Amino acid sequence: MKILFIHGPNLNFLGKREPEIYGTDTLSDVNSMLLKEAASIDKGIEPEFFQSNSEGEIVTKIQDAFENHNGIVINPGAYTHTSIAIRDAILSTAIPVVEVHISNVFKREEFRQKSFISPVSVGVISGFGINSYTLGLKAIVDFLKDK
Ligand code: DQA
């Protein structure tokens, strides 16, 4: 089972970026945690990690996942609230997607409460710190196993 993790803009700055909101773990800590978690759930899970600050690169990566990955866990960062292009890429490939956020976007500014990605996702996990990613991994794996 191939799972693609997509980290959107500014997530390469995890650990340095607004630590009171996003914590002190780095993106590489998150990816290491996910590798361990995946192996403990099922040795057949093959995680791949991708980070980009560019909307177009994220669209291309989602298109590349067509026929190569079974599921996607994405934190689209600020593109969550703006990107029709990422939403259309998800619809185009029809790959099951779980949307994750480190912070609880519903507790924050009003502009963060609108997601273009949620309506085309299997589900959304928001507000559990970096544990949102492990919950996202479990959610996509369970969803794909039940399919
Ligand atoms: C975020 C929430 C977004 O609103 C923000 O733009 C981010 C991170 C989160 O993980 O909490 O970059 O997706």
Side-chain angles (χ1 to χ4, degrees):
M1 185 186 289
K2 290 191 175 179
I3 309 294
L4 176 62
F5 289 89
I6 300 180
H7 305 291
N10 297 307
L11 291 165
N12 54 320
F13 254 60
L14 266 190
K16 301 191 268 280
R17 170 190 188 198
E18 299 177 271
E20 65 291 355
I21 297 176
Y22 299 113
T24 51
D25 292 299
T26 65
L27 190 58
S28 127
D29 294 333
V30 170
N31 291 344
S32 307
M33 171 189 79
L34 287 167
L35 277 176
K36 269 195 220 143
E37 188 68 26
S40 80
I41 296 174
D42 185 333
K43 296 266 181 290
I45 301 172
E46 297 174 53
E48 183 189 325
F49 304 104
F50 177 77
Q51 192 278 327
S52 178
N53 294 324
S54 148
E55 184 178 23
E57 282 179 11
I58 294 171
V59 167
T60 301
K61 190 70 189 177
I62 293 169
Q63 290 180 354
D64 289 348
F66 183 64
E67 291 181 341
N68 287 315
H69 287 88
N70 304 98
I72 294 176
V73 176
I74 186 169
N75 183 346
Y79 290 140
T80 307
H81 319 298
T82 62
S83 183
I84 298 170
I86 292 174
R87 175 193 176 115
D88 282 352
I90 293 168
L91 284 173
S92 306
T93 57
I95 300 173
V97 167
V98 171
E99 176 187 340
V100 301
H101 298 284
I102 296 168
S103 64
N104 180 350
V105 288
F106 303 101
K107 259 197 204 168
R108 300 182 62 193
E109 301 95 326
E110 206 177 330
F111 64 83
R112 293 188 204 276
Q113 292 171 25
K114 162 83 189 167
S115 169
F116 283 97
I117 311 304
S118 304
V120 297
S121 297
V122 175
V124 183
I125 295 162
S126 184
F128 296 94
I130 62 166
N131 200 30
S132 291
Y133 288 96
T134 46
L135 295 169
L137 168 63
K138 285 179 191 150
I140 195 78
V141 168
D142 283 354
F143 177 83
L144 291 169
K145 280 186 178 164
D146 285 350
K147 242 175 83 174

